[in-house]
Amino acid sequence: MTILSDDHFHDECGVFGVYDNPEASNLVYLGLYALQHRGQESAGIVSVDERIFLANRGHGLVADVFRQHELDLLKGRQAIGHVRYSTSGGSLNARNRQPLVVDTAHGGMAMAHNGNLVNGVEMRRLLERRGSIFQSTMDTEVIVHLTALSRRKTFAERLVEALSQVQGSYALLAMNEQCIIGARDPYGLRPLVLGRVGKSGYVFSSETCALNLIDAEFVRDVEPGEVVVISPDGIESFFPFPRKDRRLCIFEYIYFARPDSNIDGVNVYASRKRIGMRLAQENPVPEADLVIPVPDSGVPAALGFALAAGLPFELGIIRNHYVGRTFIEPQQSIRHFGVKIKLNANPHIIQGKHVVLVDDSIVRGTTSRKIVKMVRAAGAKSVHLRISSPPTTNPCYYGIDTPSRDELLASSHSVEEMRIYTTADSLAFLSLEGLYATVNGTGSGYCDACFSGNYPMPFPRHDENLQLSLLQET
Ligand code: AMP
Ligand code: SF4
């Protein structure tokens, strides 16, 4: 029997850690709160106090997982935390919640990881053959085992030895009783920043927006391939892996990161607005009366579009911000109920208008189809869908949740076929060149594989079969 499942490949996550602060767990809680958009299915914090590791991990949003009295139990001046989203209910499995915490021959250790290992399954099989017993389906546990098995002298050296055996994406936090280590994979696929908090404390975060909430000062981005060790000896930095060309995930700018974050020195909101402006230049809508974003993800790009096109920007679709994870559906079917409970088109704005509708991406196409129909039902004369990214033709293997290739609408449909499917009057995407123009002109330094198929590192093509065969064994 095996516990490997589909969620193994699709983890979206955020990590946050605080070193040397009397309120470490409280600050991590707040940090995770600000990183909630990076994962909503489970949250966890591990602190260390006098060599004792204390953990609280649970299913749901950060605010649901932690109560004050539970946070108070997470004592200590060091803590790391994690928020996670996984596609197939994997985090309902309590063993799949992070941070992981284990006892090793060298003492306790905790680890939180955002990313995916492309050789995770192979490494797991190798380790299992050597006798390792896995508790979860997470890649992170592979790194934990490799670190525990290392015979190197220091914690940092053991972690580096472990990381040098894996390939993939990671923004990783590892903690023992004395130090917190932040590491970013050699391509820098996933973001990670370093900050200062309080008199002597340090903080690691997936995004800068979480630093602002706890009044931490931004120090710098952790560099691709860098390992930053914070210990009683101060802060040390290493580049122990062979250097690679930087390939930051470009999708962080399009959709994933919070607009108030800066990633590798570039403000996410500003880049989305630039993307929207470029989209308007490439794909104008001469008959349009106004520009409406699909909230919230389409808002900055729609603003940019409206600005460049000289059109009014209107919030013609309103989002209900209080939608919980579940709701009781009516007995009789209401059309588009699932979307309507979250988004509602305002006929007062839309009636009789030629509308440009801006969203960030089309994945399966189901959301766009429902929203186009909703806008038309609110009285739009025409609906012109503009997407602020190129067509998503390829799955991501590096930590962003995308379905398999055959479920990606753009992998098997032309733009015209997608237009027909979404029922829009016209449909256009940002070009790859246009996307590059909005970052640095050339696109070099970024991963854009989900749009271009140009994967920065090989991924095991046989993995999906491997998974299936493993699943059939169960
Ligand atoms: P779909 O209905 O499958 O085409 O989904 C498209 C919608 O999902 C867009 O409105 C995006 O904002 C959103 N989206 C795109 N990528 C992701 C992702 N990796 N995780 C969650 N939502 C996403
Ligand atoms: Fe980001 Fe796409 Fe590359 Fe995945 S494939 S890391 S989503 S750019």
Side-chain angles (χ1 to χ4, degrees):
M1 183 184 139
T2 174
I3 47 172
L4 271 184
S5 66
D6 195 37
D7 68 300
H8 188 77
F9 291 95
H10 304 301
D11 289 348
E12 294 176 346
C13 309
V15 295
F16 197 84
V18 169
Y19 182 85
D20 196 18
N21 189 286
E23 282 200 284
S25 298
N26 247 313
L27 296 184
V28 170
Y29 165 81
L30 292 172
L32 295 181
Y33 219 106
L35 296 177
Q36 187 76 80
H37 60 287
R38 298 186 73 87
Q40 299 92 44
E41 284 205 358
S42 69
I45 299 175
V46 174
S47 71
V48 59
D49 185 38
E50 305 278 337
R51 298 181 160 209
I52 310 277
F53 283 75
L54 303 148
N56 191 348
R57 291 160 295 203
H59 180 65
L61 301 175
V62 176
D64 300 330
V65 171
F66 302 101
R67 302 269 166 268
Q68 180 68 58
H69 67 275
E70 289 163 340
L71 266 183
D72 292 344
L73 295 175
L74 300 178
K75 292 188 192 324
R77 298 180 70 86
Q78 283 173 229
I80 61 173
H82 189 266
V83 285
R84 175 167 195 256
Y85 168 83
S86 77
T87 42
S88 58
S91 63
L92 289 173
N93 175 352
R95 294 183 295 189
N96 273 355
R97 291 169 192 158
Q98 296 200 32
L100 284 173
V101 54
V102 295
D103 280 318
T104 74
H106 301 281
M109 141 174 96
M111 207 176 276
H113 168 210
N114 169 212
N116 273 98
L117 303 184
V118 293
N119 67 341
V121 174
E122 282 82 352
M123 289 309 293
R124 172 183 293 260
R125 288 196 137 181
L126 208 75
L127 285 160
E128 279 174 343
R129 265 186 243 124
R130 285 191 204 154
S132 293
I133 297 166
F134 280 82
Q135 292 289 314
S136 75
T137 64
M138 294 182 294
D139 283 343
T140 320
E141 205 181 346
V142 169
I143 306 173
V144 166
H145 276 279
L146 291 170
T147 309
L149 282 168
S150 169
R151 292 170 182 235
R152 296 277 170 87
K153 217 167 133 216
T154 67
F155 181 44
E157 285 167 347
R158 290 193 290 277
L159 179 69
V160 164
E161 190 176 55
L163 291 176
S164 60
Q165 295 171 74
V166 300
Q167 289 144 27
S169 63
Y170 52 84
L172 183 106
L173 301 183
M175 175 172 80
N176 75 357
E177 65 207 39
Q178 282 188 322
C179 67
I180 298 184
I181 304 174
R184 202 168 162 201
D185 71 74
Y187 291 101
L189 277 150
R190 306 259 69 87
L192 187 66
V193 298
L194 175 70
R196 295 212 63 144
V197 65
K199 282 202 189 94
S200 54
Y202 283 95
V203 45
F204 285 111
S205 175
S206 289
E207 290 184 38
T208 58
C209 66
L211 301 185
N212 305 145
L213 180 61
I214 64 160
D215 278 339
E217 178 199 339
F218 171 77
V219 174
R220 62 183 178 84
D221 290 276
V222 175
E223 291 294 313
E226 185 179 11
V227 176
V228 178
V229 182
I230 302 172
S231 73
D233 297 334
I235 180 162
E236 289 173 288
S237 157
F238 306 94
F239 288 87
F241 313 113
R243 290 272 185 155
K244 306 275 186 200
D245 292 335
R246 176 190 292 259
R247 299 292 289 272
L248 172 70
C249 168
I250 209 162
F251 196 62
E252 292 275 355
Y253 292 110
I254 293 166
Y255 169 80
F256 202 48
R258 231 171 77 162
D260 51 339
S261 287
N262 299 324
I263 299 182
D264 283 358
V266 178
N267 180 254
V268 174
Y269 176 80
S271 68
R272 282 184 198 162
K273 218 167 144 189
R274 276 199 301 277
I275 286 172
M277 295 176 80
R278 174 77 190 209
L279 184 61
Q281 286 153 9
E282 287 186 359
N283 302 291
V285 182
E287 68 170 354
D289 297 313
L290 47 87
V291 180
I292 292 177
V294 175
D296 293 324
S297 53
V299 172
L303 260 173
F305 194 109
L307 203 69
L311 287 168
F313 168 90
E314 297 284 2
L315 295 174
I317 301 173
I318 299 300
R319 175 170 170 191
N320 182 337
H321 284 269
Y322 311 100
V323 177
R325 300 190 66 75
T326 53
F327 37 76
I328 298 159
E329 293 211 29
Q331 297 282 311
Q332 283 184 332
S333 86
I334 294 176
R335 277 188 311 127
H336 315 309
F337 179 78
V339 162
K340 267 202 258 183
I341 200 157
K342 195 170 158 195
L343 302 173
N344 191 32
N346 184 353
H348 179 75
I349 305 283
I350 291 170
Q351 185 78 46
K353 296 291 194 317
H354 295 287
V355 171
V356 179
L357 188 63
V358 180
D359 201 1
D360 62 277
S361 55
I362 291 183
V363 182
R364 292 182 177 87
T366 43
T367 312
S368 311
R369 182 180 160 93
K370 284 177 182 163
I371 294 173
V372 170
K373 288 187 172 182
M374 184 192 278
V375 170
R376 209 184 290 283
K381 261 195 192 150
S382 62
V383 185
H384 301 273
L385 187 56
R386 293 293 178 270
I387 304 296
S388 63
S389 64
T392 305
T393 42
N394 304 282
C396 175
Y397 295 93
Y398 311 130
I400 293 287
D401 164 38
T402 40
S404 61
R405 189 181 308 268
D406 48 354
E407 287 175 85
L408 292 171
L409 192 67
S411 76
S412 55
H413 292 69
S414 66
V415 174
E416 174 56 13
E417 285 166 344
M418 286 195 270
R419 183 197 69 75
I420 292 167
Y421 179 76
T422 58
T423 76
D425 292 273
S426 75
L427 167 67
F429 292 81
L430 182 71
S431 70
L432 253 180
E433 303 70 51
L435 180 58
Y436 297 158
T438 63
V439 284
N440 61 359
T442 63
S444 76
Y446 295 95
C447 173
D448 56 26
C450 45
F451 309 120
S452 68
N454 179 12
Y455 288 95
M457 70 187 109
F459 55 88
R461 284 180 189 278
H462 57 276
D463 261 355
E464 281 171 32
N465 296 332
L466 182 69
Q467 254 180 303
L468 277 179
S469 67
L470 285 167
L471 281 174
Q472 279 158 9
E473 284 169 28
T474 61

